[in-house]
Amino acid sequence: MTIQTPTAAPSRATAPGAAALTGTGLCTVLLGAALPLIDFFIVNVALPTIDRDLNASEPVLELVVAGYGIAYAVLLVLGGRLGDLLGRRRLFVGGMAAFGLTSLACGLAPTAWTLVAARVAQGAASAVMLPQVLATIQATTAGPRRARAMSLYGATAGLSMVAGQVLGGVLVSADVLGTGWRSVFLVNVPVVVLALVLAVRAVPETRSAHPEPVDGPGTVLLALSLGALLAPLTEGRSAGWPLWTWLSLAAFPFLAYAFYAVERRADRAGRTPLVPPSLFRLPSLRRGLVMVVPFSIGFSGFMFVIAVALQQGEGLGATAAGLALAPMAAVFFGTSLAGPRLVARWGTRIVTAGGLLQGTGVALIALAAWRDWPHLGVLGMLPGAALAGAGQALQLPILFRIILSEVPAERAGVGGGVMTTTQQAALALGVATLGSLFLSLAPGLGMRDALVVTLLVQLVAVALTVTLSLRLPRTIA
């Protein structure tokens, strides 16, 4: 089976007179894709200094990470719908401006709770901006250009998640102008100003030719469903699992079913719901999403746990903890550049090969931690981090291409929103589950053994991804 990239007629995919996406425009929207993911991970190495400066409790520190992630995940699909309705460049520019303002608010936050509120707003701004990236690519490219753009999007997403943590460590240690941890947010402001100038000049305006109104009931039920799952998993351990966490988890399946029922009814009535169930009839989207979930859970959990283990367990500074992952970022970048050529020759078999490489890398990191602790650093992690980075680069960009390959251009915003919501919810789940596992085990087992056990659990997620990859069609158009 060959996965064909759809080439919808311009009249259905773009606004009248919309231009094709130029190289500058593509770089601009990819920058918009990088910023939200960088900011999800950049705070991991900054949490100890935020704690000291703002005297934040552990539950509040977790909200600094989770508040952003939950708001981001809950509103992504709505952001895609609004772009289809109001214009994708307009929403991209508006979301980018809001992201810059909320980043400034994070950087100037006087208290921990003010920082939490600013991070929630920053996540909401990201949810407005990011879906427009994929929708714009889908609506303004076709054929080989779309395949290349999607590969670059996947490479940007993966590199951003690793580079964010490295950049965070460098900025915190550099203490630019005495700003300390605040620089991890303030650095966004000049980048946003540049991106806004480029977006106005180089990103074409597109929108759906037949936009649907906002699905109010679906939006509310999706928000309630994701919140009921992610909030207790994130805050439960540090809060001592109070009654509200169990009630919230118990409500999740009922809310999720109510969301599905409302969306199915709207779909059957000929309306376009927030998440059309008919979209999941596309085999490529279904298979790709199922693989993105374990991949993202393992990835984000690993990044969070490594940051905590190296700083709190080994006493490394923010720079050393961040740079320990530099080999992973460098190899990811180099491998992702070769990705399109490898796909053209080997098809989706490289996804399976990537999973095997990633699994080997995680196992080597676990072995190094068991052998070298408490002296695990850049050199100890180098072989495992390099292999893991190469493996991730052979999976994530290809999965993104597979997921969106059969989505019609007129549903580009909805399809992109579904994909990014799934990925973001899984990233938040990874921090909540693997992070909570590690922090729960550390007091009894010690940091070394807790880290090793958590990495072995991550290997289960990698093994699941490899198994699922065997069911993928062999070729990608």
Side-chain angles (χ1 to χ4, degrees):
M1 174 182 174
T2 300
I3 300 177
Q4 298 293 335
T5 304
T7 53
S11 62
R12 297 193 59 172
T14 65
L21 192 64
T22 64
T24 302
L26 178 60
C27 290
T28 303
V29 295
L30 290 180
L31 179 60
L35 286 174
L37 288 168
I38 287 174
D39 263 59
F40 183 84
F41 290 93
I42 201 169
V43 298
N44 283 346
V45 291
L47 291 176
T49 54
I50 294 174
D51 183 13
R52 289 194 296 270
D53 189 20
L54 299 182
N55 193 28
S57 64
E58 185 179 338
V60 174
L61 284 175
E62 290 188 358
L63 279 174
V64 171
V65 179
Y68 176 89
I70 293 173
Y72 188 14
V74 162
L75 296 173
L76 272 167
V77 180
L78 177 61
R81 172 63 61 81
L82 290 174
D84 290 346
L85 179 66
L86 302 175
R88 292 155 186 154
R89 184 180 68 175
R90 180 181 299 177
L91 267 290
F92 180 79
V93 170
M96 178 73 75
F99 184 84
L101 291 173
T102 52
S103 295
L104 181 63
C106 289
L108 300 178
T111 66
W113 282 107
T114 306
L115 177 59
V116 169
R119 282 285 283 174
V120 171
Q122 190 186 35
S126 297
V128 173
M129 173 173 60
L130 185 63
Q132 317 317 324
V133 175
L134 285 168
T136 298
I137 290 173
Q138 289 284 93
T140 59
T141 60
R145 291 186 67 247
R146 179 179 296 173
R148 178 175 175 271
M150 286 303 305
S151 294
L152 288 173
Y153 174 86
T156 300
L159 182 62
S160 299
M161 291 189 281
V162 182
Q165 204 144 308
V166 177
L167 177 62
V170 172
L171 288 173
V172 170
S173 296
D175 193 20
V176 181
L177 300 177
T179 54
W181 61 267
R182 298 177 186 276
S183 61
V184 305
F185 301 114
L186 296 176
V187 71
N188 292 332
V189 178
V191 177
V192 164
V193 171
L194 173 62
L196 287 173
V197 173
L198 293 174
V200 171
R201 295 183 176 183
V203 177
E205 180 65 281
T206 65
R207 69 183 71 202
S208 173
H210 305 287
E212 296 283 342
V214 171
D215 176 11
T219 300
V220 172
L221 284 170
L222 178 62
L224 291 174
S225 300
L226 289 176
L229 175 65
L230 296 176
L233 288 178
T234 302
E235 290 295 299
R237 185 200 60 82
S238 59
W241 295 104
L243 179 61
W244 73 264
T245 59
W246 298 108
L247 292 176
S248 183
L249 288 172
F252 167 69
F254 298 100
L255 290 168
Y257 179 77
F259 171 68
Y260 170 73
V262 166
E263 299 300 273
R264 182 180 59 181
R265 189 180 305 117
D267 211 10
R268 289 177 173 175
R271 302 189 301 272
T272 301
L274 191 69
V275 180
S278 58
L279 204 61
F280 292 90
R281 294 177 193 151
L282 301 175
S284 57
L285 182 136
R286 211 169 46 240
R287 290 169 180 163
L289 288 180
V290 168
M291 290 183 65
V292 160
V293 170
F295 178 92
S296 300
I297 287 174
F299 192 102
S300 63
F302 169 81
M303 299 293 284
F304 177 80
V305 167
I306 283 292
V308 174
L310 292 180
Q311 289 188 92
Q312 295 186 9
E314 292 203 342
L316 297 183
T319 297
L323 290 178
L325 295 171
M328 180 182 288
V331 175
F332 187 104
F333 179 71
T335 306
S336 64
L337 293 179
R341 292 192 298 273
L342 293 173
V343 172
R345 181 170 182 179
W346 302 105
T348 59
R349 283 175 290 184
I350 71 165
V351 177
T352 304
L356 294 173
L357 279 176
Q358 183 189 4
T360 303
V362 172
L364 287 176
I365 294 173
L367 178 62
W370 180 79
R371 183 190 61 217
D372 299 337
W373 193 269
H375 303 295
L376 179 66
V378 176
L379 292 179
M381 289 185 57
L382 178 59
L387 280 176
Q392 290 158 354
L394 293 177
Q395 295 175 83
L396 192 62
I398 313 309
L399 290 178
F400 285 166
R401 281 180 59 184
I402 290 170
I403 290 169
L404 294 178
S405 60
E406 295 178 330
V407 176
E410 63 268 21
R411 283 188 162 182
V414 176
V418 169
M419 186 186 79
T420 48
T421 295
T422 302
Q423 182 199 20
Q424 184 58 41
L427 290 174
L429 270 175
V431 175
T433 53
L434 292 181
S436 294
L437 173 66
F438 171 74
L439 294 173
S440 298
L441 293 175
L445 297 180
M447 283 281 186
R448 185 196 73 171
D449 291 348
L451 175 59
V452 171
V453 170
T454 306
L455 291 174
L456 293 178
V457 172
Q458 187 196 350
L459 279 176
V460 176
V462 177
L464 178 58
T465 306
V466 171
T467 302
L468 292 170
S469 72
L470 298 175
R471 301 181 59 191
L472 290 174
R474 290 299 182 191
T475 57
I476 307 175

